[in-house]
Amino acid sequence: KFWSFFIKRAMGKCGKNVMIKPSTSVFKGVENFYFEGDLRLARYAVIYSTRAKVIIGKKVDIAPNLKIITGNHRIDKVGYFMFDGNYDKRPEDDKDVIIEGDAWLGINVTILSGVTVGRGSVISAGAVVTKSCPPYSILVGVPAKVLKYRFTIEQILEHEKSLYSKNERLTKEQLILFRK
């Protein structure tokens, strides 16, 4: 709890009911962390943020050993060792990672630069997420792929109606587009 107090104050944003375990986790670039609230981030998380943001919405449950990396090394420079790091980093080398609300991430999940995890999604244990996923999807594997959806589109609309205000809800048209 002692270290949590200081880490949370250093974040770009930290909402209410955010549970983190900094004594057993590794956080780099906490000023780029934007945690909305009602978040449980279990032990042994590794979150590295370079210039990009890590944004986590409300009501997210994350099991142990999460890994999030927002940046990449340049591998295209002749005459430089990749190990030497941040030479001439470009904006496209660092991309935000967004985990929308109502998500559940299993143990040993890795999320790479530029990924958005859609609202209501579930990511299975051990998955490596290299591409964004649609709302209410269930992802499995390495690299992670959509196995199925938690609900039908009609069920999602009902679910959203009971949980979100009208201006926050996803529309039928949006959900159809996401699934293409």
Side-chain angles (χ1 to χ4, degrees):
K1 287 186 178 184
F2 177 78
W3 289 115
S4 282
F5 174 81
F6 294 105
I7 298 286
K8 289 176 182 181
R9 291 182 61 100
M11 289 181 185
K13 177 182 181 181
C14 184
K16 292 183 179 182
N17 300 319
V18 171
M19 182 194 80
I20 59 173
K21 306 281 186 182
S23 63
T24 58
S25 297
V26 179
F27 301 129
K28 179 182 178 199
V30 294
E31 66 277 6
N32 297 321
F33 293 8
Y34 293 82
F35 296 172
E36 292 296 321
D38 296 320
L39 166 66
R40 286 190 304 232
L41 177 59
R43 299 179 188 276
Y44 313 114
V46 175
I47 303 177
Y48 281 3
S49 173
T50 49
R51 299 177 192 151
K53 295 176 184 169
V54 175
I55 301 167
I56 302 178
K58 288 185 179 179
K59 306 282 187 187
V60 175
D61 197 3
I62 302 173
N65 296 312
L66 170 74
K67 285 148 191 82
I68 295 176
I69 307 296
T70 66
N72 284 309
H73 292 280
R74 287 200 61 182
I75 61 170
D76 63 336
K77 292 283 284 188
V78 174
Y80 291 88
F81 293 108
M82 288 183 288
F83 175 85
D84 291 339
N86 292 330
Y87 51 83
D88 300 330
K89 269 201 138 184
R90 306 163 296 187
E92 62 267 25
D93 294 328
D94 299 294
K95 296 179 185 169
D96 295 347
V97 169
I98 302 168
I99 302 170
E100 296 178 348
D102 187 26
W104 174 29
L105 284 61
I107 194 167
N108 292 323
V109 167
T110 300
I111 301 176
L112 300 181
S113 180
V115 166
T116 296
V117 174
R119 175 160 69 200
S121 291
V122 176
I123 302 177
S124 73
V128 177
V129 186
T130 61
K131 295 179 182 174
S132 296
C133 66
Y136 299 97
S137 56
I138 298 175
L139 277 74
V140 300
V142 179
K145 295 188 184 329
V146 175
L147 174 67
K148 63 182 184 174
Y149 293 93
R150 288 179 56 201
F151 306 121
T152 65
I153 289 177
E154 289 74 27
Q155 289 173 322
I156 292 171
L157 295 171
E158 182 182 328
H159 179 76
E160 295 240 331
K161 187 174 183 180
S162 60
L163 295 176
Y164 297 101
S165 67
K166 191 170 187 165
N167 63 332
E168 294 176 305
R169 293 180 206 150
L170 295 168
T171 66
K172 187 173 189 172
E173 293 75 23
Q174 287 173 311
L175 293 168
I176 291 168
L177 279 175
F178 282 131
R179 291 190 180 194
K180 288 187 177 185

